[in-house]
Amino acid sequence: ATTAALAVGAVACGPKDGTDRGGAGDAPKKGGTLTVLNSEPQNNFDPARLYTSGGGKVPTLVFRTLTTRNRENGAAGAKAVPDLATDTGRPSENATVWTYTLKDGLKFEDGSPITSADIKYGIERSFAAELSGGAPYLRDWLVGGEDYQGPYKDKSEDGLKSIETPDKKTLVFHLKKPEGEFPLLATQTQFAPVPRNKDTGTKYEEHPVSSGPYKVVKNTGGGERILLARNEHWSESTDKQRHAYPDTIEVTSGLDPAVINQRLSTGAGADAAAVTTDTNLGPAELAQIAGDRELQKRVGTGRFGYTNYLAFNPKVKPFDDPKVRQAISYAVNRQSVVNAAGGSSLAEPATTFLPNQKSFGYTPDDPFPAGRTGNPEKAKELLKEAGHESGLTLTLTHSTAKNFATSPEVATAVQESLKKAGITVKLAGLEDNDYKNKIHSLTDEPGLFLAGWGADWPSGGPFLAPIYDGRQIVKDAYNFNHAQLDDKAVNQEIDEINKLTDLDAAARRWGALDKKIGAQALSVPLFHPVYKRLYGKDVKNIVISDWDGVLDISQVSVK
């Protein structure tokens, strides 16, 4: 969930257009081949190494987890629901203990039963150094997690003692502190079962043992070409979330995004039954599509819980002065920023740090009202009070990657709007890796830079805590708490909300905390991205949830 959105969530109104669930005489049918055209290879196709949420995109076809995302359009899709388990988990001892019972009749692709020991072992593998890459939460949350080295090093009979398996169908998790959002974490692929006797270590990704509707037939080129076929031992009676309509699924990656969109729009041969799980339409492509009504019907629209913002480092002058930070907040012209991010169909103005969806706890707020086009007069007034009557000169750090987010176009839009308030902005563009290393380094962090954050699941917790919890300031690796905020009251409120197992009540508290932090002008929320993706003309049953804002591959059927 860093500067490049990793894996999750979207607005309390799902897809607005291009949603085709099939007409009355057009019900989804079993059969055919679905083609997936992607730019990024599906590397690390091992449940331990994947950083996903909700089960992920292609991975959710192969790996079932204790819970998963609800496969429905819009806000209804931002909830966790049972998958391998009979419910989303039973909390006790103030949400520090979570108990799960497995459903009857669960089987691996070879017909052998899935047991609680397989899920425990799957989680334990994710602690092995050679299988790193997954989300860090289990290491942080499970008792003993910080010291556990995984099953290849730890040869003890018990493994990680904080995961108990009293019988073949029961799992009990012991956490260091209350975590009301454990059911949301249990959607990650680390919770997929792995049979110990089939574990081939780093080679497991070539043929992971399936618990889902499809099994891996072939995986070549480091995840560039993957062929999936039906897992005959998967049973829809135990899986209310995945439909498994196509007979086979062929994933081809390493393609240029422009080529993917061209192939999807043309729809020749197998491309008529194709989708993408990672490539959006850009402004130029949307302009082309605007004149084609048939293509417009094949655009899915979704919103992922993500915020692009201007980050302040108050340890660097003059950003230590709240009045300077407030002045910049008032001066920003969000309309020009939205235009630079691809226009209003690809970006929506943001005035809160939390994304504008109910599941995050979104509470409408605008602490420094700049209107659509900025309020330079109010900004000048504050600068004068701060002793900068003759203006200010600042440096804004950004990436040179053409991503319509932290890129030169957005930086230039900010530069131009601040100029009207008497603030001269010098742009410091860095190659993407250098940019990321600089903005996430505690010793090297600039005073003002463009940033973005996406949640690991649709809730305020993984949104606000990594950015504003003082105990998550990282000294010698990637740090995301740009303001280096270590406020006892904020830290305490995060702990209190984490105790809540009523996630609607928790969401309201995250919204209130967002408002409280927002008043300190530690960042300037700029916009939330909107995802627009094409799908092939023979693809039906389009479901786009607010969990990740993109087409749910487990729901589609092909002609």
Side-chain angles (χ1 to χ4, degrees):
T2 66
T3 40
L6 283 167
V8 272
V11 172
C13 45
K16 286 195 174 71
D17 58 315
T19 306
D20 179 1
R21 300 204 67 164
D26 204 10
K29 293 181 181 70
K30 290 216 172 218
T33 296
L34 175 70
T35 299
V36 181
L37 304 174
N38 280 350
S39 56
E40 295 297 318
Q42 183 68 65
N43 49 16
N44 303 341
F45 202 62
D46 181 314
R49 301 189 68 182
L50 289 163
Y51 200 132
T52 68
S53 170
K57 297 172 181 73
V58 174
T60 198
L61 302 171
V62 177
F63 307 122
R64 291 184 67 183
T65 40
L66 279 179
T67 61
T68 189
R69 62 180 184 270
N70 190 30
R71 313 303 168 113
E72 284 189 47
N73 276 319
K79 294 180 175 65
V81 291
D83 190 358
L84 292 169
T86 54
D87 56 29
T88 56
R90 299 182 296 285
S92 57
E93 296 181 44
N94 201 15
T96 61
V97 176
W98 284 84
T99 302
Y100 288 86
T101 304
L102 299 185
K103 292 172 181 169
D104 292 326
L106 301 171
K107 290 176 182 170
F108 284 114
E109 67 178 72
D110 61 1
S112 61
I114 294 172
T115 68
S116 54
D118 299 318
I119 292 171
K120 175 176 160 79
Y121 182 71
I123 292 169
E124 288 170 343
R125 289 176 79 246
S126 74
F127 284 79
E130 53 268 62
L131 296 179
S132 64
Y137 298 97
L138 285 160
R139 190 173 293 282
D140 296 341
W141 290 9
L142 286 169
V143 172
E146 68 281 10
D147 300 319
Y148 182 62
Q149 299 291 305
Y152 310 142
K153 277 202 173 137
D154 170 51
K155 300 292 182 194
S156 73
E157 197 104 321
D158 298 332
L160 191 51
K161 291 187 179 68
S162 50
I163 309 173
E164 295 176 332
T165 52
D167 58 53
K168 286 185 176 180
K169 289 185 62 179
T170 309
L171 287 128
V172 186
F173 297 90
H174 295 268
L175 312 182
K176 292 179 207 170
K177 57 188 198 299
E179 294 293 354
E181 296 188 356
F182 195 79
L184 295 163
L185 178 70
T187 66
Q188 305 218 353
T189 57
Q190 286 71 31
F191 288 81
V194 175
R196 189 187 288 258
N197 62 355
K198 295 278 174 74
D199 183 11
T200 51
T202 53
K203 289 195 163 173
Y204 186 71
E205 66 181 13
E206 292 165 23
H207 191 124
V209 183
S210 170
S211 48
Y214 295 92
K215 60 186 177 186
V216 178
V217 178
K218 205 167 60 188
N219 181 359
T220 55
E224 282 211 344
R225 306 287 309 244
I226 297 176
L227 177 63
L228 303 178
R230 288 193 185 283
N231 167 11
E232 300 300 336
H233 290 282
W234 170 79
S235 159
E236 197 158 7
S237 64
T238 70
D239 190 349
K240 297 286 178 263
Q241 292 302 318
R242 299 161 186 82
H243 288 312
Y245 292 124
D247 289 332
T248 49
I249 295 171
E250 289 184 19
V251 183
T252 303
S253 318
L255 301 171
D256 184 89
V259 171
I260 293 171
N261 285 319
Q262 185 57 50
R263 284 177 63 176
L264 288 170
S265 65
T266 308
D271 292 348
V275 298
T276 178
T277 66
D278 72 358
T279 300
N280 298 318
L281 291 164
E285 288 143 338
L286 279 177
Q288 274 179 309
I289 288 171
D292 188 327
R293 290 183 66 175
E294 284 311 301
L295 274 183
Q296 280 175 28
K297 287 181 190 166
R298 292 200 274 122
V299 176
T301 301
R303 288 157 183 79
F304 164 57
Y306 199 91
T307 302
N308 286 90
Y309 55 97
L310 263 180
F312 296 118
N313 177 358
K315 303 274 192 272
V316 173
K317 286 189 177 319
F319 308 105
D320 55 336
D321 186 341
K323 284 196 169 149
V324 170
R325 303 197 303 265
Q326 289 171 19
I328 293 168
S329 304
Y330 277 112
V332 163
N333 177 333
R334 284 187 176 83
Q335 187 59 57
S336 68
V337 169
V338 162
N339 292 344
S344 56
S345 56
L346 292 175
E348 294 172 336
T351 58
T352 56
F353 194 76
L354 285 178
N356 46 347
Q357 290 130 269
K358 182 174 177 273
S359 58
F360 287 92
Y362 170 66
T363 305
D365 189 34
D366 191 357
F368 311 104
R372 282 174 53 154
T373 56
N375 186 343
E377 297 314 311
K378 178 73 179 169
K380 283 179 186 166
E381 203 179 293
L382 284 158
L383 287 175
K384 189 176 173 183
E385 287 174 29
H388 303 286
E389 198 168 346
S390 54
L392 253 183
T393 298
L394 309 170
T395 300
L396 171 62
T397 302
H398 64 90
S399 165
T400 54
K402 296 277 185 215
N403 58 13
F404 297 106
T406 51
S407 51
E409 302 87 345
V410 176
T412 303
V414 171
Q415 178 188 46
E416 285 168 0
S417 56
L418 266 52
K419 193 176 179 180
K420 291 180 179 152
I423 303 169
T424 302
V425 176
K426 292 176 178 171
L427 299 183
L430 297 173
E431 184 276 320
D432 206 45
N433 274 339
D434 295 340
Y435 153 79
K436 284 174 182 160
N437 289 336
K438 189 172 177 70
I439 69 167
H440 296 310
S441 158
L442 214 56
T443 50
D444 212 14
E445 186 191 322
L448 180 67
F449 57 94
L450 288 175
W453 188 255
D456 284 344
W457 54 76
S459 152
F463 218 90
L464 293 178
I467 309 293
Y468 294 118
D469 184 334
R471 297 154 301 183
Q472 293 203 29
I473 295 171
V474 181
K475 290 192 171 66
D476 46 6
Y478 260 39
N479 171 62
F480 296 104
N481 183 336
H482 63 265
Q484 298 167 51
L485 180 70
D486 191 6
D487 178 329
K488 277 205 174 77
V490 170
N491 299 350
Q492 193 178 346
E493 178 61 0
I494 288 170
D495 289 345
E496 291 302 316
I497 305 172
N498 281 336
K499 290 178 185 171
L500 302 176
T501 53
D502 174 349
L503 298 185
D504 287 335
R508 290 191 287 276
R509 296 261 295 263
W510 290 125
L513 182 60
D514 184 36
K515 195 170 178 173
K516 181 181 169 182
I517 296 169
Q520 296 186 49
L522 301 171
S523 64
V524 186
L526 297 173
F527 65 94
H528 306 297
V530 179
Y531 290 164
K532 299 257 179 195
R533 292 189 179 175
L534 263 178
Y535 51 89
K537 56 178 181 269
D538 290 346
V539 177
K540 301 285 173 209
N541 213 48
I542 307 300
V543 174
I544 299 174
S545 81
D546 281 4
W547 192 294
D548 61 5
V550 300
L551 168 143
D552 190 335
I553 194 170
S554 73
Q555 304 302 296
V556 298
S557 70
V558 296
K559 255 187 192 169

